[in-house]
Amino acid sequence: MFNRIIYLIPILVFSNEPKLSSIKISDGFTKPVYVCQAPGDNERLFVLEQKGVIKIIKNGKNVRKLFADLRDRVHNPLMPGDERGLLGLAFHPNYQSNGFVFLNYIDKDDYTIVSRFNVSINPNLLDTASEKILIRLKQPFSNHNGGHMVFGPDGYLYISLGDGGKWGDPFNHAQQLDNLFGKILRIDVDNGKPYSIPNDNPFVNEENAKGEIWLYGLRNVWRFSFDRETGDVYLGDVGQDMWEEIDFIPAEEAGGQNFGWRIMEGNHCYNPKENCDTTGVLPIFEYPNDANYMKVLTGFDEPNVDGCSVTGGYVYRGKNIPEFYGTYFFADYCSGNIWTFKEVNGKVTHFQNRTDEINLGGGTFTNYISSFGEDNDGELYIVDYNGAVYKIIKKD
Ligand SMILES: [Ca+2]
Ligand SMILES: [Ca+2]
């Protein structure tokens, strides 16, 4: 495969690159799906548990303090492989002054809910009674809910919504602009009731198009990020039967792009299977998947795939590992593979498999990598769905 052939040369060029490792920051979580910090607060990490609970890790210590319990409204209990529950959190950029926390979850009636909450007088407790719903959208199927949210460099809130679910995008949601499924949305939470649509959104003046839409043709972007230095956008779009993909858009071009789904899966025609329209944005990187990855793990199938569900990560912009400055980290949820590359002129360079190097959990079991996280200093974390949060560090 191309990642194994053409990346031999950079290894020689970068042979003085330090090795990576990881340290466990905390464990004992139940199905954690995200970790982040609040702006202006370098002491606490916030960890989302899918069942509807948010916990705090303080000063890197293995103490899990309860920040919020929303199990009264978040979908639970979780079935095996359940894609519902608490999925995303974004602190308002002015969190220190306004205390606004935005959450994305699937509620007990299978609606996607995007809400704003206030922190309480106690900075270690969310005011769960302060919920103000911004978006409420009935999900047609239980899977492909997206869920990630992040404030962009422009202060707008960006929200991922999957294609709605089942398989093959049966309603062709992602290609149609009259609905919010299979999209990244861009909204202004500082104006309007409950929000407003920025004037420069790509489809704001188009008839029969939802003004919230920023990017479309996406299947299920579980995690995406802005490069905090350049504003470039990296999206991990989870694949169907064959291909997982990382999508990339430079900051100056971002907005209005079609990423191809369901016409294409990665670089390949999906519907129709041949002679499809290939004019959408093709992935910067793809790798083969297998929805039955467990078969691979148990030896019943050829181990010829790299995973089953991509977990988009971050471009490293921290200080502790300067040799990795500008390197993008991402992973596969099922295989626990962790990879890095550097984007140069829209192309992947310096591609590396870092799984053994980072060596989560001492390499003793398969990690289910549900998310990456980035702290205020730009250091990166990995969330293992089995219950632990790790920090990526330089090997001594
Ligand atoms: Ca769904
Ligand atoms: Ca695509």
Side-chain angles (χ1 to χ4, degrees):
M1 246 165 356
F2 99 107
N3 57 356
R4 303 208 171 104
I5 297 163
I6 65 168
Y7 294 104
L8 296 172
I9 295 163
I11 297 172
L12 302 174
V13 174
F14 286 78
S15 57
N16 58 351
E17 177 182 89
K19 289 288 181 198
L20 296 173
S21 185
S22 61
I23 49 165
K24 190 191 283 181
I25 299 291
S26 185
D27 58 12
F29 297 102
T30 306
K31 297 188 173 179
V33 291
Y34 189 50
V35 62
C36 65
Q37 282 194 317
D41 173 3
N42 292 348
E43 286 191 350
R44 296 178 300 171
L45 289 164
F46 294 79
V47 178
L48 270 65
E49 293 185 337
Q50 191 181 0
K51 66 187 176 192
V53 167
I54 306 170
K55 289 175 177 165
I56 294 171
I57 306 169
K58 200 167 179 187
N59 290 322
K61 298 221 172 66
N62 194 12
V63 176
R64 300 168 300 281
K65 216 175 155 57
L66 186 72
F67 180 64
D69 184 345
L70 298 155
R71 281 177 291 178
D72 60 346
R73 63 204 86 173
V74 172
H75 166 83
N76 74 86
L78 300 164
M79 319 274 287
D82 207 324
E83 297 180 18
R84 295 169 290 181
L86 178 59
L87 305 176
L89 178 155
F91 287 99
H92 192 283
N94 300 324
Y95 178 71
Q96 288 304 327
S97 54
N98 63 26
F100 290 159
V101 181
F102 294 81
L103 297 180
N104 187 331
Y105 64 90
I106 303 295
D107 75 3
K108 293 184 185 300
D109 299 315
D110 281 335
Y111 282 79
T112 276
I113 304 288
V114 174
S115 285
R116 191 189 84 193
F117 291 80
N118 292 62
V119 72
S120 70
I121 297 165
N122 177 349
N124 291 315
L125 275 182
L126 190 73
D127 177 1
T128 55
S130 66
E131 179 167 20
K132 187 178 160 65
I133 294 178
L134 278 67
I135 293 173
R136 184 169 180 271
L137 183 65
K138 179 73 176 175
Q139 282 285 347
F141 304 105
S142 65
N143 56 345
H144 303 181
N145 305 317
H148 195 49
M149 298 196 300
V150 57
F151 280 91
D154 51 13
Y156 294 132
L157 181 62
Y158 292 77
I159 304 164
S160 171
L161 269 171
D163 66 12
K166 210 167 182 182
W167 59 84
D169 193 5
F171 301 129
N172 199 20
H173 278 146
Q175 285 298 316
Q176 293 173 341
L177 297 175
D178 62 355
N179 72 87
L180 300 180
F181 293 110
K183 314 292 189 312
I184 302 286
L185 314 181
R186 178 182 189 246
I187 63 172
D188 177 358
V189 299
D190 296 323
N191 293 288
K193 285 181 177 150
Y195 63 85
S196 68
I197 293 170
N199 291 329
D200 57 349
N201 267 14
F203 306 109
V204 71
N205 293 319
E206 207 161 296
E207 232 178 298
N208 304 321
K210 295 282 188 188
E212 290 93 336
I213 296 170
W214 188 57
L215 305 172
Y216 71 107
L218 296 159
R219 183 175 175 276
N220 189 28
V221 175
W222 165 241
R223 294 288 178 250
F224 67 95
S225 63
F226 290 91
D227 179 337
R228 62 164 61 188
E229 181 171 299
T230 65
D232 295 344
V233 185
Y234 292 75
L235 311 108
D237 197 8
V238 178
Q240 181 71 45
D241 304 324
M242 297 287 285
W243 301 98
E244 300 297 313
E245 63 185 84
I246 297 291
D247 295 310
F248 171 80
I249 287 283
E252 61 276 13
E253 293 173 17
Q257 280 83 8
N258 177 5
F259 287 87
W261 176 251
R262 70 177 183 184
I263 303 168
M264 300 187 74
E265 183 186 12
N267 290 308
H268 316 268
C269 290
Y270 179 80
N271 184 2
K273 285 285 176 206
E274 287 178 357
N275 300 318
C276 66
D277 177 358
T278 61
T279 54
V281 178
L282 299 176
I284 188 170
F285 183 77
E286 67 171 14
Y287 64 91
N289 71 16
D290 184 344
N292 300 312
Y293 193 80
M294 287 310 294
K295 282 198 303 184
V296 178
L297 295 177
T298 51
F300 293 123
D301 203 349
E302 285 294 308
N304 59 350
V305 297
D306 292 329
C308 84
S309 184
V310 67
T311 298
Y314 293 88
V315 175
Y316 179 77
R317 296 294 182 188
K319 292 192 177 68
N320 294 345
I321 327 171
E323 298 86 351
F324 283 78
Y325 195 79
T327 298
Y328 180 69
F329 286 73
F330 70 106
D332 185 84
Y333 169 74
C334 313
S335 65
N337 272 317
I338 304 164
W339 300 279
T340 61
F341 67 73
K342 275 194 171 182
E343 177 275 328
V344 177
N345 297 323
K347 301 276 185 238
V348 165
T349 66
H350 309 141
F351 185 91
Q352 290 284 299
N353 187 323
R354 304 284 181 183
T355 317
D356 292 342
E357 222 177 292
I358 293 174
N359 197 28
L360 295 181
T364 51
F365 58 94
T366 300
N367 297 276
Y368 287 84
I369 299 176
S370 55
S371 191
F372 286 78
E374 183 186 40
D375 70 17
N376 291 338
D377 294 326
E379 302 302 328
L380 298 186
Y381 299 78
I382 295 176
V383 180
D384 177 3
Y385 195 60
N386 291 318
V389 175
Y390 298 88
K391 185 175 188 177
I392 300 173
I393 58 170
K394 190 194 286 197
K395 197 177 174 80
D396 297 332

